[in-house]
Every structure is written in C-alpha cells, then in structure tokens.
C-alpha cells in the first residue's frame, strides 16, 4: 500500500511540476494572449491520399469552420504581416501509404509567431509557440475520417486562444 501511495504522489507531483515555468517564460496558451486572429496555412498533402478521399481542401475547410465557429478571425497574408507577431496556424498532415491497405500518418498543428531573440534583440525569427502532434495508422478506406483529428487540434487551439482572449 505504501508503494502505491508513493507512486501516486510521484505521478501527481510530476504533473504539477510540468506546469511550472521559469520566471518570465510563458506557456503555450499564454503565448496566444493579445492575438486578434491568425492566418491559416495548410500544407498540401500527397496525391495518393487525395486519391483515397482525403484532400487539402477538406482540411482547409474543416479548420476554417472550427476557427469561424469560435469567432477567431482568419487573417489574409497582408493582414497577418501587419500584426506585430505575424501569427499563422500551420497544419501539416503527412501520410505514407503501405502496400497492405493502411496509412501511417502524422498530424502537426503549430502556431508560429515572430519573436525577438534574447541574444540579438534586433533580430526576429519565427518560432512555434503552440503545437499539437499525433501519429498513427488508419485503414485506407477510413482515411477521410482522419479529418476529425485535424478538427480536434483546431478545437484545442480555439479553446486555448479563447481562454486568454475572451470574446
């Protein structure tokens, strides 16, 4: 029993420690504070995945629908550049078709923003300030259903965005 209690304390302790940030360092959610919107950039997926019913246009439309339903402004390129941090939400769905009727996939969703480097404050660079990633396998006939994974990432982004930028 003692070992069970010690294990529980260690697990709970590590969970709270993972949320701690050194002074002045912001977490992923906090990095969204002050944004009014984001540009959505969807990486083109492989033609073989499009043949099996999963298209870049479907990903774009699903992501836009989630952002709009949460009243998050989707910026155009010129609008994004005028923002101080020039934020863009990048979605990359990468697929590899096996010869056995399955796809291996990864879905990466990142918010990238311009940041100042502490070592060279006059220099700015893009950095990922919020991200979600998942990998897995799915049957070729089920590939179009993978849109739900993309939608879930965008919903998580929207929840974090709205938590620090209430409407």
């Amino acid at each position: 029993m003692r070992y069970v209690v010690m294990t529980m304390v260690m697990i709970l302790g590590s969970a709270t420690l993972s949320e701690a940030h050194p002074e002045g360092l912001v977490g992923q959610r906090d990095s969204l504070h002050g944004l009014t919107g984001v540009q959505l950039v969807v990486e083109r997926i492989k033609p073989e995945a499009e043949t099996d019913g999963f298209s870049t246009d479907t990903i774009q439309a699903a992501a836009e629908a989630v952002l709009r339903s949460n009243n998050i402004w989707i910026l155009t390129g010129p609008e994004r550049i005028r923002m101080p941090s020039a934020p863009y939400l990048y979605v990359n769905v990468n697929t590899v078709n096996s010869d056995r009727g399955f796809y291996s996939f990864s879905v990466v969703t990142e918010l990238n923003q311009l940041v100042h480097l502490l070592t060279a404050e006059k220099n700015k660079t893009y950095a990922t300030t919020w991200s979600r990633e998942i990998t897995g396998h799915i049957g070729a006939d089920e590939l179009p259903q993978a849109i739900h994974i993309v939608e879930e990432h965008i919903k998580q982004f929207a929840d974090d965005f709205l938590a620090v930028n209430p409407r």
Side-chain angles (χ1 to χ4, degrees), residues 2 7 18 24 34 36-37 66-67 71 105-107 112 129 162 167:
R2 183 175 81 169
T7 303
S18 67
T36 56
V66 172
L67 293 172
N71 295 317
F105 69 87
S106 71
V107 178
N112 293 288
T129 61
L162 294 172
R167 303 283 181 205

Side-chain angles (χ1 to χ4, degrees), residues 4-22:
V4 172
V5 171
M6 287 175 54
T7 303
M8 295 286 289
V9 168
M10 288 174 59
I11 291 171
L12 292 174
S14 66
T16 51
L17 287 177
S18 67
E19 293 298 316
H21 301 288

Side-chain angles (χ1 to χ4, degrees), residues 29-161:
R29 178 182 281 184
D30 295 334
S31 75
L32 308 177
H33 181 74
L35 297 179
T36 56
V38 295
Q39 182 180 16
L40 180 61
V41 177
V42 177
E43 189 73 39
R44 190 145 294 290
I45 65 169
K46 294 181 180 176
E48 62 189 16
E50 289 194 348
T51 300
D52 284 331
F54 198 55
S55 73
T56 304
D57 292 340
T58 301
I59 296 167
Q60 180 87 27
E64 286 179 5
V66 172
L67 293 172
R68 285 193 176 104
S69 71
N70 284 282
N71 295 317
I72 297 174
W73 185 18
I74 301 172
L75 304 171
T76 64
E79 290 169 333
R80 175 182 67 89
I81 296 300
R82 286 192 298 270
M83 305 292 287
S85 67
Y88 66 93
L89 188 61
Y90 175 73
V91 179
N92 184 355
V93 178
N94 195 9
T95 59
V96 176
N97 191 359
S98 75
D99 57 355
R100 297 187 180 129
F102 284 91
Y103 276 90
S104 294
F105 69 87
S106 71
V107 178
V108 176
T109 307
E110 302 175 333
L111 181 77
N112 293 288
Q113 300 185 69
L114 275 176
V115 296
H116 289 279
L117 300 176
L118 293 176
T119 56
E121 289 188 26
K122 292 183 181 178
N123 292 337
K124 294 181 186 178
T125 190
Y126 277 96
T128 300
T129 61
W130 183 98
S131 66
R132 296 294 181 272
E133 184 175 344
I134 189 168
T135 60
H137 303 283
I138 195 166
D141 57 333
E142 298 171 328
L143 187 60
Q145 297 171 14
I147 194 64
H148 298 299
I149 297 167
V150 174
E151 290 171 328
E152 183 58 33
H153 278 192
I154 305 299
K155 286 176 188 174
Q156 290 172 6
F157 171 78
D159 289 346
D160 285 351
F161 184 98

